[in-house]
Amino acid sequence: MRVLLIGAGEMGSRHLQGLVALPAGSAVAVLDPRAPARETALQRWQQMPGHDAVPLRFLEEDVGWDGFDAAILATGATSRLDLLRRVLEAGIRMVLAEKVLFQSVADYRAAVLLAAALGADVRAHVPLRHVPVLQKLRAHTRDKPFTLTVAAGDRGLGCNGIHFLDLFQYLGGMPPASVEAALDRPLQVNRRDPALVEFTGTLNAANAAGAALRIRFSPGHERLAVLTVETADGRAVIDQAGSVESDIAGLAGLGFEMPMASRMAAGMLAGIAYGSSPLPDLAEGFETNRLMLAAYNRDLAGQHADDLVCPIT
């Protein structure tokens, strides 16, 4: 598999490490105009056992993107639609994209239509769907009423709230029917882009089956999330720091095991290629992302329109 990685920052360089596990005969190319990012990416690549077996090269900006089987988009959301369009125009039909996917509903809708027209499979990197204990939990929540409460510290609700909104969709087997946001003030400057914002706060959601979600990111600490799930079969407290306490059949004795980003990329691309990926494609994720962007816009700007840019990444 020939893979084009666009963006070699913190997440991009971790995806790069995961590409060491690509099958024999594969090759990787990286595009990032920032010299420090390229240097860090190369260092992290060389830390991985077996990296010499997969050819790696760094592309110049003006080099064409023809000849690749897959792309990973690990840049911010600001130019995501233009970047996706260029990737698809180059003939790449398999794409893994970092979240937040798009900053406006209009861009997201345009991406759905573009991918469908070209027969492209574009998936969001929301890896909670790969966590074994959450996969087992889904048998007790899909198409049923349940409650999911997420308590976390100051870990970027704007950037990372989608992880738990998508988990709510995954566990319930359907997107939310409503999402409301109450964001803390003052807002924070986004560490990735000072023109954008970040924040703590609360998201509430519900779906058509009677399931409910409450996400609370609190200022003052950076603790990993604790997920509390209540179903007709019992209760589970799942700590992203590792522990799981549950009286739900099949969950007792399990821990929270998030595969490392530096170990996942090759497997995620293989799942997309072979039709076995649990990650949502653009169409599946559209409604959840639409409702999230609308909720943020209403709180941040006092209004929402599909073409209104939400200042998050």
Side-chain angles (χ1 to χ4, degrees):
M1 183 183 294
R2 297 156 299 177
V3 180
L4 171 63
L5 171 65
I6 304 176
E10 181 61 29
M11 280 307 305
S13 61
R14 296 305 182 190
H15 284 308
L16 178 61
Q17 288 180 305
L19 294 175
V20 165
L22 286 169
S26 297
V28 177
V30 178
L31 177 64
D32 194 307
R34 301 166 299 171
R38 295 195 301 270
E39 292 169 4
T40 299
L42 180 59
Q43 291 170 3
R44 288 180 172 175
W45 173 261
Q46 293 172 338
Q47 292 168 1
M48 301 300 291
H51 70 271
D52 289 336
V54 181
L56 172 69
R57 61 192 173 108
F58 288 85
L59 299 181
E60 298 297 329
E61 280 288 316
D62 57 352
V63 172
W65 297 356
D66 298 332
F68 292 99
D69 304 300
I72 298 177
L73 309 185
T75 61
T78 303
S79 59
R80 179 67 43 74
L81 180 59
D82 290 340
L83 189 60
L84 176 62
R85 184 177 288 112
R86 185 176 171 190
V87 163
L88 298 184
E89 287 174 349
I92 301 170
R93 294 294 179 262
M94 187 166 57
V95 181
L96 177 65
E98 269 302 323
K99 48 74 195 162
V100 172
L101 286 172
F102 303 96
Q103 293 174 305
S104 75
V105 175
D107 276 6
Y108 198 127
R109 183 178 288 110
V112 172
L113 295 174
L114 179 63
L118 296 176
D121 194 343
V122 183
R123 305 262 170 168
H125 181 236
V126 279
L128 288 176
R129 293 188 180 214
H130 280 273
V131 176
V133 68
L134 299 176
Q135 291 176 335
K136 289 183 179 294
L137 176 62
R138 192 173 189 236
H140 302 272
T141 56
R142 183 166 183 165
D143 300 321
K144 302 172 185 176
F146 67 93
T147 62
L148 170 60
T149 304
V150 179
D154 189 354
R155 304 189 68 85
L157 181 63
C159 177
N160 292 311
I162 188 59
H163 281 301
F164 303 104
L165 283 165
D166 177 75
L167 177 62
F168 184 62
Q169 175 171 353
Y170 175 68
L171 292 177
M174 64 186 75
S178 64
V179 177
E180 298 296 333
L183 308 180
D184 296 334
R185 300 302 196 271
L187 300 173
Q188 305 166 14
V189 174
N190 192 295
R191 288 178 290 183
R192 294 181 180 90
D193 185 340
L196 306 178
V197 299
E198 191 50 271
F199 39 78
T200 54
T202 302
L203 285 176
N204 290 297
N207 72 15
L213 168 69
R214 185 179 189 274
I215 305 170
R216 174 62 186 166
F217 278 40
S218 299
H221 63 93
E222 295 187 359
R223 198 190 190 290
L224 291 170
V226 177
L227 287 61
T228 303
V229 184
E230 297 188 43
T231 77
D233 299 323
R235 185 172 186 266
V237 179
I238 302 169
D239 190 335
Q240 283 193 316
S243 67
V244 176
E245 298 178 6
S246 178
D247 57 4
I248 299 175
L251 271 63
L254 296 177
F256 181 90
E257 299 177 5
M258 171 70 84
M260 296 175 63
S262 59
R263 302 285 183 180
M264 295 182 73
M268 285 183 168
L269 291 178
I272 299 171
Y274 293 111
S276 60
S277 175
L279 300 176
D281 64 16
L282 288 179
E284 181 185 348
F286 176 77
E287 188 65 7
T288 296
N289 279 267
R290 182 188 74 81
L291 290 170
M292 178 192 73
L293 291 170
Y296 287 158
N297 280 338
R298 285 193 296 267
D299 188 284
L300 292 169
Q303 61 178 325
H304 172 69
D306 281 1
D307 62 352
L308 181 61
V309 172
C310 186
I312 59 173
T313 193

